[in-house]
Amino acid sequence: MRTVDRSALDASLIAAHADGDCAQLSGLYDRAASALMRAGDTDAACFFLTQAYVFALEAGASDAERLRRLLAAHGRI
């Protein structure tokens, strides 16, 4: 992933999963999706967007609607 420290992101994801922090997980998956989208890997980006969306819904985050719109724009919803 371009402009994302993959090791740091992986460690952050593992820690957030261990903590059960859905809001943080949503943000981390969203960050990964953005990096993959910039790199041109739409399929992988949409996988991460889906994870971001699910965790945003779990957290009741206001970002959920934005993430849903992004997934819809790419034909994933």
Side-chain angles (χ1 to χ4, degrees):
M1 289 179 213
R2 192 169 61 103
T3 70
V4 172
D5 178 347
R6 181 66 189 260
S7 314
L9 181 59
D10 288 346
S12 295
L13 281 165
I14 290 167
H17 273 287
D19 292 343
D21 188 337
C22 291
Q24 185 178 12
L25 282 164
S26 178
L28 291 167
Y29 279 114
D30 187 15
R31 189 171 134 209
S34 294
L36 287 163
M37 199 63 77
R38 284 191 304 273
D41 192 344
T42 303
D43 287 336
C46 286
F47 169 81
F48 282 92
L49 274 175
T50 300
Q51 302 310 306
Y53 178 53
V54 168
F55 285 112
L57 289 173
E58 286 288 320
S62 59
D63 256 11
E65 180 57 26
R66 177 185 62 81
L67 294 165
R68 188 199 66 73
R69 284 192 310 268
L70 284 170
L71 286 164
H74 291 291
R76 308 305 166 129
I77 291 182

